[in-house]
Amino acid sequence: MVIGAAVVLFIASFLSLFSYDCSGGIDCSRLNSPNAWDSLGILMSIFLAGIIGAALVIVGRLTPGRKVVGFDLGQFGAAFTVFALWTAFWTIIDVSDAGAGLILGLLASIVLAAGTIAGPLVPALKAPIVGAPKPPQAVQPPHGGQPGQGYGYPGAQQQPYGAQPSQGYGYPGGQQGQPGQADPAQAQAAQAQQSAPQGGAAPAGDFTPFWFAVPVARPLYGEDGAPNPIAELAPGTWYLAVEQRGQGLIAQTQDGRRGVLQDTTGIQRG
C-alpha cells in the first residue's frame, strides 16, 4: 500500500500542476504547463517529502529497532507523509485550476499517510515485509523434535550418548523400538546416577533427571569446586541434569563429563 502510493506520487510529479480552459478560441497547444519539477517548493514539500517518508517507513519495517535521535524510522516516515498531505491539501485549495499532477498527488498523499498511520494499528497491515528478519524460534525439546533429528542434538543426525542406533521409540533420528528394549532417556539417566562418585552429596529424594537447554553459553565447573570451568554448555544442545546441587545442577555432557552448572536462570526443560 505504501509502496504503491509512493510510486503514484512519483508519477504525478511529472504531470501538469495547472489546467487551462481552452474554450473561446485559445490555443492550448502553445501553453507550457509546468510540473512539480519546475517548482522546487511544491516538489520538495509534497512529492519528495511523501516519497522520502515512504522510504523511511519501509526501511523501518525491514530493520525494526533502528532509531534516529531517539525516534523510530517509522515515526519519522509517518511525519513526512502527514506533512506532504497537509501541504498538498492547502496547495490544491489555493489553486483554482489544479491540474492532474496536484489532484493525483493529493490522492496519493492521502493513501500514503493513511497507510503509514494505520500500519501499526490494523492487524492486517502488520504482516512483515519480505526479507525482514524473523524472531528466533525456541529450541524444541528432544521428545518433540522433527523426524531426522538426533536425540539430544537438535538438527543433527546423531544418536544419544550411550544409546544404540536401532533404539528410537519415536525419538528424532531413531527407529521404532523393539519389545524388551529400554527407553534411551531412562537408561542414560540410570547410568548417570550409577556413575556418580561414592561419598558425594546425595541427590534430593524427589529429584528426577531431566533434559535441559541453556539460553546462552554457560560454563560448567568441576564437582571438586575448582574455579576453572571444565566445559561450556552451548545453546541449542540438550544436556542431562542428574542431580540438584544447592541452587545449581549437576549436568552431564554428551561425552560423559559431569560438572556443576551454577547459573540455571532461563533454562528450558525438555
Side-chain angles (χ1 to χ4, degrees):
M1 181 178 179
V2 173
I3 296 175
V7 172
V8 173
L9 196 62
F10 178 73
I11 296 174
S13 67
F14 294 96
L15 302 179
S16 59
L17 297 176
F18 311 104
S19 62
Y20 300 98
D21 186 7
C22 297
S23 61
I26 300 177
D27 187 7
C28 292
S29 62
R30 296 178 178 271
L31 298 177
N32 184 18
S33 179
N35 57 29
W37 297 91
D38 298 320
S39 176
L40 183 61
I42 294 178
L43 175 67
M44 297 300 298
S45 59
I46 299 178
F47 298 92
L48 289 187
I51 294 173
I52 292 173
L56 290 176
V57 170
I58 295 171
V59 173
R61 291 288 296 274
L62 291 174
T63 57
R66 179 171 295 183
K67 296 184 178 181
V68 177
V69 295
F71 294 94
D72 187 84
L73 284 180
Q75 297 175 343
F76 262 104
F80 268 95
T81 57
V82 172
F83 172 74
L85 173 60
W86 175 265
T87 307
F89 175 76
W90 290 109
T91 301
I92 203 170
I93 287 181
D94 187 54
V95 175
S96 58
D97 51 353
L102 281 177
I103 296 175
L104 193 60
L106 175 63
L107 296 177
S109 299
I110 293 175
V111 175
L112 189 59
T116 56
I117 294 175
L121 305 177
V122 180
L125 300 178
K126 292 182 179 181
I129 301 176
V130 177
K134 297 180 180 180
Q137 298 180 354
V139 179
Q140 297 296 327
H143 299 282
Q146 299 298 326
Q149 295 177 337
Y151 182 57
Y153 301 83
Q157 301 287 341
Q158 299 184 20
Q159 296 295 328
Y161 173 73
Q164 298 299 325
S166 60
Q167 295 176 342
Y169 294 88
Y171 295 114
Q175 303 174 357
Q176 296 297 326
Q178 301 297 329
Q181 289 180 335
D183 189 330
Q186 295 177 356
Q188 184 171 354
Q191 181 182 2
Q193 291 179 338
Q194 293 176 359
S195 61
Q198 299 296 327
D206 57 349
F207 182 83
T208 302
F210 62 89
W211 293 96
F212 71 93
V214 292
V216 294
R218 289 180 178 170
L220 189 68
Y221 296 94
E223 296 185 71
D224 56 357
N228 297 326
I230 62 172
E232 184 178 67
L233 305 187
T237 304
W238 293 96
Y239 302 95
L240 183 65
V242 298
E243 183 182 331
Q244 184 81 34
R245 179 69 60 86
Q247 297 298 324
L249 292 173
I250 301 297
Q252 180 171 311
T253 62
Q254 284 77 14
D255 56 5
R257 289 181 293 174
R258 291 164 48 103
V260 181
L261 176 64
Q262 298 178 354
D263 185 5
T264 60
T265 57
I267 64 172
Q268 180 182 352
R269 294 174 65 106

